[in-house]
Amino acid sequence: MIRGVILVIIGAVAAPLLGGLIAGVDRRLTAWLQSRYGPPIWQPFFDVIKLFGKERLVVNGWQVFCAHVYITATMLSVVLFFLQSDLLLILFVQAFGAIFLVIGAFSTTSPYSQVGANRELIQILTYEPLIVLVFVGIYLVTGSFKISEILAQTKPLLVSLPLLYIVLCYALTIKLRKSPFDFSTSHHAHQELVKGFLTEYSGRYLALVEIGHWYEVVLILGLCSLFWATSWIGVLVLVGVTYLCEILIDNIMARMTWQWMLGYVWTMGLAMSFVNLIWLHGR
Amino acid sequence: MLNTLLFILILGPFIAAALCYFVRISHIRSFIVLAMGCLLAVTSILLFTKAPFSHTPPPLLNIPIHWWIIWGDDGLLLTMLYYGFKHRHLFTKILIIFQIVALDYFELFMVDHSKTFPLFFADNLSLIMVLIISIVGPLICVFAIPYMNKHEEHQGLKKSRQPKFFAFLVMIIGAMNGLVLSNNIIFMYVFFEVTTLGSFMLISHDRTETALKNAVRALWMNCLAGAAFIVAMILAYITQGTVDAQELIRGGHMGGIMLTPLALLCFAGMVKAAQIPFQSWLLGAMVAPTPTSALLHSSTMVKAGAYIALRFAPGYAGTFLSQSLAVCGAFTFLATSAMAVSQSNGKKVLAYSTIGNLGLIFACAGINTPEAITAGILLIIFHAFSKALLFLCVGDIEQHIGSRDIEVMRGLYAKMPRTTLIAILGMVTMMLPPFGVLLSKWMALEAASKHLFVMVLLAVGSALMVMYWARWAGILLSAPYGSHVEPERQGVLTRLPLLALVGGAVVLSLCAPLLYSNLVAPILSAPSFSVRAGIFENPTGAFLLYPVILVLALGFIYAVYAAKKAQKARTSGPYLCGAQTTDPESFEGPMRKPVAVSSGAYYFESIFGEQRLTVWFNVCGGMLVALLIGGAL
Amino acid sequence: MDTIKAFIRKSRAKSPWLLHFDCGSCNGCDIEVLACLTPVYDIERFGIINVGNPKHADLLLVTGTVNHRNKKVLANLAEQMPDPKIVVALGSCGLTGGIFREAYNVIGGVDKIIPVDVYVPGCPPKPEAIIDGVVTGLEKFAEKKGDKS
Ligand code: SF4
């Protein structure tokens, strides 16, 4: 019981702090790759706190509503993750938040927001089946969708699911809004869609969305960590290397079109999942 | 007591139908429909207390029931044949004549009527179906009362065609009750055919050219199902010597020889449920007035197909038939979800989503583990409520704005806030946790995880499904900012069914653990989940239903509070590069003239276009069906 | 409560998001603004991000003269920025209309339309001067009253 409460607190409070820190490190490293100095590591927190101190400026009530639902759902998904719950359930709850964010973006008549919302839907469409397939792979290895069962494994999942890990990394790249998949909105401002589907969220509501995003980042990095959950060093190395690769890819890639993303990620993702799954099946 | 209940549930609607047809006074007709609705709902609940039972009613008017059935069926087939001739459709005629000959030969010369076995049988599966049919069905009929008045007003008819419309609408409910309660498969077949005739009449109701064309298409496809059903019956009788459905299910393990009839039954079910490649009849049914679509799509007709598959599922467990059924269902799920993405016609999106969800139920029946069957049954329940609701909403919207196109519904919230909110809630219950449809989908996914191919189809399909619902819900809300929203006026008979259905969809989702442990678990061969404190759990996974509901509900309430509070905040129009005019929905264009802002959603015609995909999907679907039947031969 | 306010003030000074509007500039000033983003000057080290959207921006950086055609756009953009916000006018043109001030269509400096907090002179101002102006603006920004609630 006590352990459960502690896990809930970790999930609800520590996760966004960690997520913010990761975002800070990300910006710093990106700056370093571009031979700049970069902002302080705490920059994301400054940004969010500043946003909370701003005036409420709304387009309509739906955005406010959706931003709150979004952060609730993402928080819940992370808490469920730390409670070692069911993977599919976590994905669905996460989708709940993501969908409401899109509905909020749709609720304005702003063309930027609308186009961004459409593109965000395509992104969800692209990564969702892949994540489900990754979970199926995990199921085939461990016989369960429960994280508690995965943690009971003695061999890292990475050994039996190397290709599915790469598939998960595709999803991670999309979810992190990194190039070449950052066309619904992006961290680097001033793109063709202003700020995509986040254009009309402002002030504290944008801050909520940002915190929700941190939760999501933690969630998906948490999923990555499951692949080497047998040792702490393994987790750190795996997640660290993965994230470094993400930053590198972000910096060397151009933004592509959604057609390309859907075609490329689905073909590569499905092919790799198939190979890996059949290979598991065959054993 | 049981006799009375069965009489009311099965024959009651037929009597009400006759009254509707002959009493040509609209108020009395409305009263009949309302009274019958209440009676059916109460009776279905009373029947529930009697369950489970097997029962043979005494002869009606001193004539054994099976004679009634034979006469009824001949009459029915001859009526259908008449329409076959009237519309000059050769294939229909052949199919119906085949059915008449086969059925009469079978009934008169083959079946040994002296053998006694219960004619009616009800376990929880039948009772769940009865409850859905007798509660959702009448609600749709009630909605139809004001709807049809407006519909006819719009058409400017001289002579009202409502008597016939309501007669068939009500009749289908009775037939469905009969279908799910029968134990004698000949009875099942007859009621199956009644729904065919009923749907034909309802689809052709408007008598336009397309309506007639589509109705005839529905007729021949469903006659194909009927013919398959008869062949299945005869084959089953040859191998097993009985028409007792329970016997047949138990005999399924006899192996190959019994599989052919079961495969044909599944085929009949698949046609009825409009699975690919037979989806065109259900899509064509969209031309009918909306209550028809609502009834055919949610609680009756297509659900008959799903019911048959689930009913006979224990009979073919662990066979090749079962596996190919799973693949067929999952393929339909994926294919229809993909095509729905390309649709901006609201009713078509609903239709594809119905077919997709039925595909999911077939996939569950095919996977055939206790978890999968649980998923299938729960899906029938939840889907019935949400889908009926959505159809009625679209019907109401269509009567207000004169279009069923999703793009025309853009920003509908500003015009019809109540209906829009109900519709959005309906969409949310179709796609998101913690609502029932998603709960069942979760069960289905967990059950499918051993079937790699099925799983891939389901995973991609459900992502597509989320896409078209979310897009639609978002578009409905996309209203100009700052406008004062005035709730629209709605008649009682329109609002009542909407509220009842949306209430049902939400409350039933909350009661999912109760539904499972009281209704579904007793009919499973082994319990699929343990339910504790609203947590569904088995070794494969866990769905923390109540905790998730609790947290999301709290977040929801806070979100509403925050949105209320934000009403006082400064509002500002959408960002239009600073060129917005005083009317926030336009920007200043050339010559300082305002240009209206417009944007449309993506429909991916080039990828998921209906025209493009239908052919390929039909070919694949046809091959899969051939595989299903061929494998069982 | 006070610590929170102090914290928000500090965060404001650390995170001004900037909207750059070319009002009617000869592009000389704009090039200098963009230069600030390059690795050599790297204004992101102050937490400054160039956002393209008034709804996210704290700081409006205006270059060039205001004319009759675009005065409304300038006002609209300022209106769509949530409080607290500051406006920095850049270059001689932004300040007074500069060499274009006599043109028939020119109104003059930015402050003819919206209140300006910081004026950065130069034709064009050097990136160092722009950064200096923005940083001066930050102090004002931190102290500004924002949302009352
Ligand atoms: S101040 Fe000088 S550089 Fe800047 S816009 Fe005016 S003329 Fe061009």
Side-chain angles (χ1 to χ4, degrees), chain C residues 24-29 63-64 90-94 98-100 122-125:
Chain C
S25 143
C26 78
N27 273 14
C29 283
T63 56
L90 223 58
S92 317
C93 295
I99 53 166
F100 303 116
C123 179

Side-chain angles (χ1 to χ4, degrees), chain B residues 47-278:
Chain B
L47 187 76
F48 195 71
T49 58
K50 302 275 173 206
F53 63 83
S54 16
H55 181 69
T56 307
L60 199 61
L61 305 176
N62 279 331
I63 302 171
I65 303 275
H66 71 261
W67 280 112
W68 286 102
I69 291 288
I70 295 174
W71 294 337
D73 199 39
D74 280 335
L76 183 73
L77 287 171
L78 287 175
T79 322
M80 282 169 28
L81 191 59
Y82 163 73
Y83 284 107
F85 273 102
K86 189 172 161 194
H87 295 293
R88 303 218 178 100
H89 197 270
L90 181 67
F91 196 44
T92 319
K93 283 185 261 180
I94 296 174
L95 282 173
I96 296 175
I97 292 173
F98 168 74
Q99 288 188 52
I100 295 178
V101 174
L103 184 77
D104 284 336
Y105 180 77
F106 181 55
E107 276 273 14
L108 299 176
F109 303 109
M110 286 178 73
V111 180
D112 173 13
H113 287 292
S114 59
K115 219 170 171 184
T116 53
F117 58 89
L119 292 181
F120 290 98
F121 169 84
D123 58 3
N124 282 352
L125 175 59
S126 326
L127 290 171
I128 289 171
M129 291 297 296
V130 170
L131 279 176
I132 296 171
I133 296 162
S134 311
I135 291 174
V136 178
L139 283 173
I140 296 170
C141 293
V142 170
F143 179 88
I145 297 172
Y147 183 91
M148 288 312 287
N149 284 336
K150 246 192 221 162
H151 185 73
E152 299 215 319
E153 222 170 83
H154 191 71
Q155 280 184 321
L157 288 184
K158 286 213 185 59
K159 184 161 170 278
S160 168
R161 292 195 205 126
Q162 287 191 39
K164 202 162 144 198
F165 181 80
F166 277 97
F168 282 101
L169 206 61
V170 171
M171 195 180 81
I172 286 191
I173 296 177
M176 278 301 293
N177 275 334
L179 174 78
V180 298
L181 286 171
S182 312
N183 188 37
N184 184 336
I185 53 171
I186 302 179
F187 285 28
M188 239 186 226
Y189 163 77
V190 173
F191 290 120
F192 193 81
E193 288 299 283
V194 176
T195 58
T196 300
L197 179 68
S199 60
F200 168 75
M201 299 309 289
L202 288 175
I203 297 170
S204 63
H205 175 80
D206 280 348
R207 298 200 199 154
T208 56
E209 203 174 318
T210 20
L212 289 176
K213 204 178 95 221
N214 293 346
V216 171
R217 188 183 318 131
L219 187 65
W220 79 253
M221 283 200 175
N222 281 303
C223 281
L224 189 66
F229 205 119
I230 286 201
V231 177
M233 277 195 309
I234 296 176
L235 286 178
Y237 194 77
I238 293 172
T239 48
Q240 292 244 319
T242 180
V243 282
D244 177 351
Q246 290 303 311
E247 275 296 309
L248 292 179
I249 295 168
R250 279 193 290 274
H253 300 296
M254 279 179 30
I257 198 155
M258 195 47 216
L259 271 186
T260 320
L262 286 178
L264 286 172
L265 280 178
C266 286
F267 172 78
M270 286 176 71
V271 179
K272 194 112 239 181
Q275 300 292 290
I276 287 181
F278 302 104

Side-chain angles (χ1 to χ4, degrees), chain B residues 525-607:
Chain B
S525 51
S528 47
F529 296 95
S530 69
V531 182
R532 210 162 32 83
I535 300 176
F536 287 88
E537 189 159 16
N538 68 1
T540 331
F543 198 98
L544 287 71
L545 185 65
Y546 283 171
V548 169
I549 290 184
L550 184 73
V551 177
L552 287 183
L554 286 178
F556 195 83
I557 292 167
Y558 186 74
V560 172
Y561 164 77
K564 278 258 155 61
K565 207 167 143 197
Q567 277 177 347
K568 287 199 279 301
R570 180 158 76 95
T571 51
S572 136
Y575 171 62
L576 295 172
C577 301
Q580 72 266 33
T581 58
T582 41
D583 164 26
E585 302 310 318
S586 63
F587 61 89
E588 200 175 283
M591 310 300 292
R592 305 224 155 160
K593 289 268 164 2
V595 179
V597 177
S598 72
S599 49
Y602 292 10
Y603 290 96
F604 312 102
E605 270 294 331
S606 59
I607 305 177

Side-chain angles (χ1 to χ4, degrees), chain A residues 55-62 64-65 68-69 72-73 75-76 80 83 85-86 88-89 92-93 95-96 99-100 102-103 106-112 114-115 118-119 121-122 124-125 128-129 132-133 136 139-140 143-146 149 194 199-200 205 258-259 262 266 270 274 277-278 281, chain B residues 410 413 421 428 431-433 438 442 445-446 449-450 452 455-456 459-460 463-464 466-467 470-471 473-475 477-482 537-544 548 551-552 555-556 558-560 562-563 565-566 569-577 585 597 599-602 604 607:
Chain A
E55 180 198 21
R56 289 168 209 263
L57 180 73
V58 296
V59 179
N60 61 34
W62 287 112
V64 180
F65 175 79
H68 283 87
V69 172
T72 316
M75 185 175 78
L76 180 60
L80 286 173
L83 285 176
S85 171
D86 187 294
L88 284 174
L89 175 67
F92 290 148
V93 171
F96 188 96
I99 291 297
F100 264 89
V102 173
I103 291 181
F106 263 121
S107 76
T108 71
T109 47
S110 156
Y112 302 106
Q114 291 272 335
V115 176
N118 275 306
R119 291 182 176 189
L121 274 181
I122 300 168
I124 294 176
L125 174 68
E128 254 208 14
V132 173
L133 289 180
V136 174
Y139 168 82
L140 288 178
S144 174
F145 285 100
K146 282 186 243 171
E149 295 291 318
V194 184
T199 304
E200 302 299 329
Y205 311 115
W258 65 260
Q259 289 95 335
L262 196 64
W266 269 13
L270 288 179
F274 258 126
L277 289 174
I278 289 169
H281 235 29
Chain B
R410 190 170 276 281
Y413 176 68
L421 285 186
V428 169
M431 65 166 169
L432 291 179
L438 195 104
W442 170 79
L445 284 174
E446 303 232 320
S449 47
K450 286 183 207 73
L452 195 50
M455 185 70 185
V456 175
V460 179
L464 288 164
V466 166
M467 160 132 202
R471 182 181 61 198
I475 287 178
L477 281 180
S478 166
Y481 93 105
E537 189 159 16
N538 68 1
T540 331
F543 198 98
L544 287 71
V548 169
V551 177
L552 287 183
F556 195 83
Y558 186 74
V560 172
K565 207 167 143 197
R570 180 158 76 95
T571 51
S572 136
Y575 171 62
L576 295 172
C577 301
E585 302 310 318
V597 177
S599 49
Y602 292 10
F604 312 102
I607 305 177

